Amino acid sequence: MDVFGTEGPGFRSPLADNPHCTLSPHAAGMTRSAMRAASERLLEAFAEFLGAQPTP
């Protein structure tokens, strides 16, 4: 799910605690550098979830 009525630090959703749900910010209009940074954070989160160390 990637679109919410409210996003940012105050975001709250019952889906946030669901281990079978992936939540991400809406990505319309992102710059290349913003997409790269978001992708890197996602990969770091996956690596942490899997217990692996992310590559630099």
Side-chain angles (χ1 to χ4, degrees), residues 8-36:
F11 172 75
R12 300 285 182 268
S13 171
L15 296 175
D17 294 325
N18 185 328
H20 304 288
C21 185
T22 300
L23 306 179
S24 66
H26 187 61
M30 289 179 72
T31 64
R32 286 185 187 260
S33 63
M35 286 192 292
R36 181 177 181 94

Side-chain angles (χ1 to χ4, degrees), residues 31-44:
T31 64
R32 286 185 187 260
S33 63
M35 286 192 292
R36 181 177 181 94
S39 297
E40 289 171 355
R41 286 192 307 270
L42 177 64
L43 291 174
E44 289 170 3

